[in-house]
Amino acid sequence: MKKTKLIGIRDTNKNSQPSLESKKSQVPDVPEAEGSLSEESVKIKPTKASNDGWTSWIRKIRPTKEGMESEVEKPMLIVKSGHRVKENEIKGQCDICCEYDSYIFNCHIYGCKKPLCLKHVYMFELGEKITPYCLKHYKQAMDEHDTWQENEKKRR
C-alpha cells in the first residue's frame, strides 16, 4: 500500500475532487516515509576554540511547499596551531597567549609547569633528551649548560 500526501484541499463544489499525489521521501534508508522532512542540508562552519566556547550544532527547520526543510550547522574547530580538531582532542590552554591547542607542553621546572602551545614552548636538546621549557627557564637552562664539559665527554 502506497502512502500519499495531501497536496490540495477540496473546494466547496460537489464536482471537484481533491488532488492526491504520492511523494517519495529523500531519506535513503527509510522506505516510503511520509515526507514530513523533504530536504536536509549540513553546513560546516570554521570556528576557533575560545573562552566563549562554541556551539556543537544548530538545526534550523523551515516549512516549504513540499514539506519541511532542515539545515544543520556544525562547527569545524580550528585551534591556535591551525589544526582542525574534535572537541575531545583539545589538550589545554596556553598560559602565554591564552589560546586553546591540541599540542600542549608543560615547562620542565618543578615550580613552574606552565602549559605552553607549540608557538611558546622552547625545547632544549641535550644528547638524546629533549626537554620543554618556558622562555624564562629556557634562558636559565642555556646559561647553566656547560658546553666545555659536554665537548670533553664527546672526546672520551
Side-chain angles (χ1 to χ4, degrees):
M1 177 176 185
K2 274 191 172 180
K3 294 191 178 192
T4 57
K5 180 179 166 190
L6 183 63
I7 300 295
I9 299 176
R10 179 182 279 185
D11 284 342
T12 54
N13 292 340
K14 293 182 180 178
N15 296 336
S16 68
Q17 294 289 327
S19 66
L20 296 176
E21 229 177 85
S22 66
K23 292 276 186 181
K24 290 189 177 179
S25 99
Q26 294 178 359
V27 182
D29 292 338
V30 180
E32 303 251 356
E34 291 185 12
S36 59
L37 183 66
S38 298
E39 187 178 319
E40 181 168 314
S41 61
V42 178
K43 292 183 180 180
I44 297 177
K45 180 181 175 185
T47 307
K48 286 201 172 206
S50 66
N51 284 339
D52 298 335
W54 57 87
T55 305
S56 61
W57 62 275
I58 298 172
R59 174 168 287 182
K60 298 173 187 174
I61 299 176
R62 292 184 282 283
T64 62
K65 291 180 181 178
E66 291 84 30
M68 301 298 279
E69 180 180 83
S70 172
E71 181 180 293
V72 179
E73 194 175 287
K74 292 183 179 182
M76 177 174 61
L77 288 176
I78 309 292
V79 289
K80 175 69 175 178
S81 59
H83 295 96
R84 177 183 178 181
V85 296
K86 296 178 184 170
E87 293 93 3
N88 59 352
E89 292 175 345
I90 295 175
K91 301 292 186 231
Q93 184 178 17
C94 178
D95 197 48
I96 307 298
C97 64
C98 298
E99 295 282 339
Y100 292 93
D101 207 340
S102 58
Y103 298 103
I104 294 290
F105 301 90
N106 289 39
C107 181
H108 184 68
I109 302 299
Y110 179 72
C112 183
K113 297 290 183 189
K114 286 182 183 177
L116 303 163
C117 66
L118 281 173
K119 184 177 179 182
H120 295 106
V121 69
Y122 294 87
M123 298 291 191
F124 185 71
E125 187 174 345
L126 182 59
E128 292 184 16
K129 185 178 178 185
I130 300 173
T131 312
Y133 289 106
C134 63
L135 179 61
K136 175 185 169 186
H137 293 119
Y138 177 74
K139 288 179 180 179
Q140 196 175 39
M142 291 294 290
D143 290 342
E144 292 174 359
H145 180 66
D146 189 3
T147 53
W148 291 103
Q149 185 180 13
E150 186 180 332
N151 282 337
E152 284 182 23
K153 286 181 183 178
K154 287 181 181 178
R155 287 184 188 172
R156 294 180 192 179

